[in-house]
Amino acid sequence: MIDLHMHILPGMDDGAQDLEQSVRMADMAADSGVSVIAATPHSNLPGQRGEAHWNRYRSTLGRVRQRIQEEKIPVTLVEGMEIFADLDAVSKLKEGLLLTLGGTKHPLIEFGFDVDIRTAFACLERFLKEGYVPVLAHPERYFCVMDHPELVYEWYRMGVIIQVNKGSILGRFGRRVQQTADRLLRHRLAAVAASDAHGPVIRTPDLTELEYVLDREYGPGCFDLLLEINPARILSGKPVIWEDPIPFH
């Protein structure tokens, strides 16, 4: 399995707080069958901009990789950031101060939960116009999507890749978020699922329960598509596979 969204780097954001937590997260992920992890701290927020943030990311990633190798944990860490999508983000990507997933054309991006619909469309259009194919993190948690899930169908038609969170599917963020995630999955709009793990105790990288729920509720092979096939295609620069998404009426 490939987990494209994990806050495993210590001290970079609200994820792992120290190196020992990072190691525990890697070990937990490996035990549940994960072999590749994208290390994706929040980026492009105030205090997380510019060359200093980039250098800190590279240094921290190197320390975690070394420790995982020393502990003989069978996972590979690839580069990435969870980029806060504003009109400045594309420029920072082009300057190399923000990182896409595994050096591909796919940045993992997020909006504020209260993002305005027009702002979301404008930002997504800018990424696409500049040749990026964004992976949109957890749209089921955005208030505008909870109110208007049909927005995600329009984003799919634009070419945006939709990533849903483990915690959303399992009901960890409340019933309304879970219902929205369910609607996106049943309309076949989710191309990727990920842990969005923040620690080894709460919001963990263990995907065992998610595998059971996805295949039980959405059909055999759903888990493989969302956590193996499509993530591998993203990291290799290939188009994701969609199962004929169903429009909202």
Side-chain angles (χ1 to χ4, degrees):
M1 285 185 289
I2 300 171
D3 193 339
L4 290 181
H5 186 173
M6 190 183 299
H7 298 262
I8 193 172
L9 299 187
M12 293 290 295
D13 58 9
D14 57 345
Q17 297 304 296
D18 55 41
L19 192 54
E20 295 309 313
Q21 285 196 358
S22 300
V23 171
R24 288 172 62 194
M25 290 173 71
D27 193 43
M28 188 177 292
D31 283 347
S32 71
V34 174
S35 59
V36 178
I37 295 169
T40 55
H42 295 291
S43 298
N44 207 40
L45 295 170
Q48 297 177 320
R49 302 174 188 266
E51 190 171 352
H53 179 68
W54 184 90
N55 288 336
R56 186 181 174 206
Y57 176 93
R58 283 287 171 83
S59 173
T60 306
L61 179 65
R63 288 194 294 117
V64 176
R65 279 176 167 165
Q66 180 178 353
R67 183 63 182 277
I68 287 173
Q69 185 177 20
E70 291 171 354
E71 298 290 336
K72 297 183 169 55
I73 300 171
V75 295
T76 299
L77 295 189
V78 298
E79 292 180 347
M81 292 176 172
E82 185 178 14
I83 298 168
F84 187 81
D86 58 21
L87 296 178
D88 185 50
V90 172
S91 298
K92 296 301 181 186
L93 274 168
K94 294 176 77 172
E95 294 171 23
L97 297 177
L98 295 173
L99 298 172
T100 61
L101 292 168
T104 66
K105 62 183 178 180
H106 299 293
L108 177 70
I109 68 170
E110 66 170 338
F111 293 119
F113 295 141
D114 60 350
V115 64
D116 175 77
I117 293 173
R118 287 174 295 180
T119 300
F121 271 98
C123 287
L124 292 172
E125 287 171 353
R126 181 162 186 193
F127 278 101
L128 293 162
K129 182 180 178 180
E130 295 296 331
Y132 296 103
V133 181
V135 178
L136 180 58
H138 46 63
E140 72 279 1
R141 300 185 68 192
Y142 305 144
F143 302 147
C144 63
V145 173
M146 292 185 223
D147 292 335
H148 303 285
E150 65 273 12
L151 289 170
V152 180
Y153 184 76
E154 297 305 317
W155 295 339
Y156 147 75
R157 292 181 64 196
M158 290 168 62
V160 177
I161 297 171
I162 306 304
Q163 178 256 301
V164 295
N165 272 9
K166 176 188 86 167
S168 302
I169 297 166
L170 300 182
R172 307 287 161 75
F173 301 112
R175 183 167 177 76
R176 196 168 179 224
V177 172
Q178 185 178 32
Q179 289 174 333
T180 305
D182 177 71
R183 295 192 74 183
L184 299 186
L185 286 161
R186 294 197 185 281
H187 281 259
R188 301 172 186 164
L189 288 166
V192 179
S195 71
D196 191 7
H198 278 61
V201 178
I202 299 174
R203 296 181 68 178
T204 76
D206 186 345
L207 296 175
T208 306
E209 185 180 1
L210 182 63
E211 178 174 11
Y212 172 74
V213 170
L214 284 177
D215 283 350
R216 181 192 67 193
E217 297 294 331
Y218 307 102
C222 179
F223 183 83
D224 287 342
L225 180 64
L226 300 189
L227 279 135
E228 183 63 49
I229 297 169
N230 276 341
R233 293 180 72 87
I234 287 169
L235 291 179
S236 62
K238 298 177 182 177
V240 297
I241 297 171
W242 298 92
E243 293 188 289
D244 295 325
I246 302 168
F248 290 82
H249 298 293

